């Protein structure tokens, strides 16, 4: 089969891959995105916090993304049924927009910039020479030569493996997650509420649009086995012990289909090798309780686009710029991963959780500007 040449090959058409493709396409780069699925990913995160919204605004995408999203400005936290604190998001608040919809908007914008998407294919082989990736061999037999290669292919990144970059994955073993989409109830429409229990359970309830809500339940693995074997009544009995202000959702949990999600943190030893770099979940993963993974990924894509364009096809310069301007992102990611770990370790203990909670990181992330949007509440 023929070999295709491009400026940048991006592996993975999730948020990171699509956003980077858009930024590069707008700057006249010839970009090919390789995606193993038949289309962009169907499910993922729901919350875009202020730092991510600001990145989108810088690239003229804020109106498009917000048009059908839900704005929220407060999350109320409970412990063993008592309200313990509220986290407020000043100004424009944060946005709820299901992942598929968010990525689709960016993907659609890519078409106008001439970005090519090759679906239903993955990388079978990587040819390197003089420390640089020269060619990718794809599972459908096609070959792709690119000046720069970006692995935006998620936590199990094949690009990362091909580059020989070491990773360490730490599953949150004490917390198995289940998620269901249910009809929206009045309490969920009113406020985002996150409940914790001293027994190591959590429940997070929020709307995803004007008709539906998402319910996340986190529980110890041994409870998961028991509860989900015994069916919904057993689940409700447990939730009723600590979910106090959202009882109007209980009835709709009955027929809900509960999807199981395993969550892990991921750290890698380096974010690039020669002319190839990692982006998004291929480079780092933090506990979803931070709600910041997408915001950091959008900022990372912005930096990568700058670096790739500044290198202007020179692989040695690209290597140097990635070392100088992209590798330092690991410090911000490390801080976020540590923060997620601290929340996950503490949430069952009321005072430990309140001590670990960092409103600045939670609301502003690395761009922390003014601490203090969390307010302690008197237990009811
Ligand atoms: C349960 C959970 C909840 C979360 N909630 C939030 C939240 O509310 N807010 C937030 O900001 N962040 C959240 N995050 C983090 C957020 O999901 C990630 O930061 C974001 O999805 C990263 O996007 P990505 O493009 O790197 O990866 P992905 O979305 O995983 O995309 C990777 C893409 O690469 C493709 N791919 C994989 N391997 C190959 C291959 N070999 N060849 C070709 N294609 C391949 C996949 O099919 C996929 O399309 C959450 C994470 C989890 C696990």
């Amino acid at each position: 089969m023929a070999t295709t040449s491009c400026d940048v090959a991006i592996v993975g058409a999730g948020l990171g891959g699509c956003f980077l493709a858009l930024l590069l396409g707008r700057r006249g780069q010839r970009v090919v995105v390789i995606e193993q699925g038949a289309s962009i990913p169907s499910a993922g995160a729901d919350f875009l916090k202020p730092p991510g919204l600001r990145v989108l605004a810088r690239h003229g995408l804020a109106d498009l993304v917000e048009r059908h999203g839900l704005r929220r400005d407060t999350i109320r936290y409970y412990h063993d049924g008592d309200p313990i604190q509220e986290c407020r998001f000043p100004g424009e608040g944060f946005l709820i927009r299901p992942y598929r919809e968010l990525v689709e908007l960016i993907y659609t914008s890519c078409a106008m910039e001439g970005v090519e998407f090759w679906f239903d294919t993955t990388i079978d082989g990587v040819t390197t020479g003089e420390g640089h990736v020269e060619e990718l061999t794809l599972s459908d037999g096609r070959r792709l030569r690119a000046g720069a290669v970006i692995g935006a292919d998620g936590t199990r990144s094949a690009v990362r493996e091909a580059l020989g970059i070491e990773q360490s994955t730490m599953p949150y073993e004490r917390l198995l997650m289940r998620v269901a989409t249910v009809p929206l109830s009045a309490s969920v429409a009113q406020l985002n509420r996150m409940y914790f229990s001293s027994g190591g359970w959590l429940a997070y309830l929020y709307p995803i649009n004007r008709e539906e809500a998402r319910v996340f339940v986190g529980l110890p693995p041994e409870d998961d086995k028991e509860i989900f074997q015994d069916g919904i009544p057993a689940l409700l009995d447990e939730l009723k012990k600590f979910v106090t202000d959202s009882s109007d959702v209980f009835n709709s949990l009955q027929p809900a289909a509960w999807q199981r999600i395993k969550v892990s943190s991921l750290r890698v030893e380096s974010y690039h090798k020669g002319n190839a770099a990692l982006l998004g979940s291929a480079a780092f993963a933090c506990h979803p309780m931070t709600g910041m993974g997408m915001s950091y990924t959008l900022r990372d894509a912005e930096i990568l686009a700058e670096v790739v364009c500044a290198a202007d096809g020179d692989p040695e310069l690209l290597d140097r710029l990635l070392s100088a301007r992209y590798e330092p992102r690991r410090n911000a990611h490390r801080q976020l991963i540590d923060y997620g770990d601290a929340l996950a370790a503490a949430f069952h203990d009321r005072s430990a959780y309140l001590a670990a909670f960092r409103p600045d990181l939670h609301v502003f992330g690395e761009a922390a500007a003014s601490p203090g949007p969390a307010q302690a509440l008197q237990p009811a």
Side-chain angles (χ1 to χ4, degrees):
M1 270 203 197
T3 301
T4 304
S5 294
C6 64
D7 297 315
V8 187
I10 299 175
V11 184
L15 178 77
C18 285
F19 187 58
L20 177 63
L22 177 65
L23 299 184
L24 291 170
R26 282 180 173 176
R27 295 180 66 163
Q29 301 275 319
R30 182 170 178 211
V31 182
V32 175
V33 182
I34 299 150
E35 167 58 45
Q36 65 180 5
S39 66
I40 57 166
S42 56
D46 291 318
F47 293 97
L48 201 48
K49 296 265 193 83
L53 288 169
R54 274 196 293 275
V55 174
L56 293 179
R58 281 201 284 278
H59 299 281
L61 291 166
D63 288 349
L64 190 66
V65 166
E66 286 167 33
R67 206 168 296 154
H68 301 287
L70 287 178
R71 281 280 183 186
R72 309 289 272 186
D73 60 10
T74 305
I75 304 173
R76 185 174 295 166
Y77 295 83
Y78 297 71
H79 189 269
D80 284 344
D82 301 330
I84 54 166
Q85 77 168 346
E86 280 187 355
C87 185
R88 304 233 169 90
F89 292 74
E92 300 295 293
F94 63 92
L95 191 79
I96 302 181
R97 187 96 211 235
Y99 193 65
R100 167 84 194 197
E101 292 177 24
L102 177 64
V103 178
E104 190 148 24
L105 285 172
I106 297 170
Y107 164 68
T108 309
S109 306
C110 283
M112 288 183 278
E113 309 301 336
V115 175
E116 273 183 63
F117 282 80
W118 295 0
F119 289 106
D120 283 323
T121 190
T122 181
I123 49 169
D124 255 6
V126 174
T127 311
T128 51
E130 295 178 16
H132 298 118
V133 175
E134 288 180 344
E135 194 170 277
L136 303 177
T137 307
L138 306 188
S139 54
D140 58 13
R142 283 186 279 189
R143 289 170 182 276
L144 188 59
R145 292 187 82 83
V149 173
I150 308 295
D153 49 347
T155 48
R156 293 194 195 140
S157 173
V159 173
R160 189 180 64 224
E161 201 183 322
L163 295 175
I165 295 178
E166 295 284 329
Q167 54 92 18
S168 98
T169 301
M170 291 284 290
Y172 293 102
E173 280 176 347
R174 297 305 309 143
L175 191 66
L176 219 143
M177 304 291 283
R178 294 270 183 175
V179 63
T181 304
V182 302
L184 185 61
S185 69
S187 71
V188 181
Q190 185 201 20
L191 195 63
N192 283 29
R193 292 183 168 89
M194 184 169 249
Y195 297 91
F196 301 123
S197 86
S198 44
W201 281 58
L202 68 82
Y204 189 26
L205 303 94
Y206 55 88
I208 51 166
N209 53 44
R210 302 201 188 287
E211 283 94 41
E212 294 170 303
R214 204 85 85 199
V215 181
F216 262 93
V217 170
L219 70 175
E222 59 276 14
D223 289 357
D224 183 84
K225 239 184 205 162
E226 216 171 281
I227 296 281
F228 281 90
Q229 224 164 40
D230 291 352
I232 297 299
L235 174 67
L236 292 185
D237 287 346
E238 276 309 312
L239 291 180
K240 280 174 187 168
K241 291 180 189 165
F242 70 102
V243 176
T244 41
D245 284 343
S246 312
S247 51
D248 58 357
V249 93
F250 290 156
N251 282 344
S252 57
L253 296 187
Q254 210 82 6
W258 289 89
Q259 191 197 335
R260 195 174 141 146
I261 305 175
K262 275 192 173 166
V263 286
S264 305
S265 67
L266 173 88
R267 299 165 199 253
V268 307
E269 59 166 10
S270 139
Y271 282 5
H272 90 289
K273 216 169 202 179
N275 62 339
L278 304 174
L279 172 64
S281 298
F284 79 100
C286 55
H287 196 282
M289 248 192 257
T290 67
M292 278 290 175
M294 290 198 291
S295 287
Y296 281 51
T297 296
L298 290 170
R299 175 70 189 125
D300 297 342
E302 217 179 16
I303 295 169
L304 268 184
E306 287 295 326
V307 162
V308 168
C309 292
D312 198 21
D314 176 339
E316 273 77 31
L317 180 56
L318 179 58
D319 188 3
R320 286 203 301 278
L321 289 174
L322 286 168
S323 294
R325 292 178 52 195
Y326 191 57
E327 290 289 350
R329 295 296 293 156
R330 286 166 55 211
N331 298 326
H333 296 162
R334 192 178 309 128
Q335 188 188 32
L336 186 68
I337 299 167
D338 288 347
Y339 178 54
D341 287 356
L343 293 180
F347 75 86
H348 65 280
D349 176 327
R350 185 182 299 205
S351 47
Y353 183 78
L354 288 172
F357 194 85
R358 292 262 315 265
D360 54 337
L361 263 186
H362 219 78
V363 175
F364 301 109
E366 57 191 307
S370 58
Q375 293 190 348
L377 291 182
Q378 291 303 317

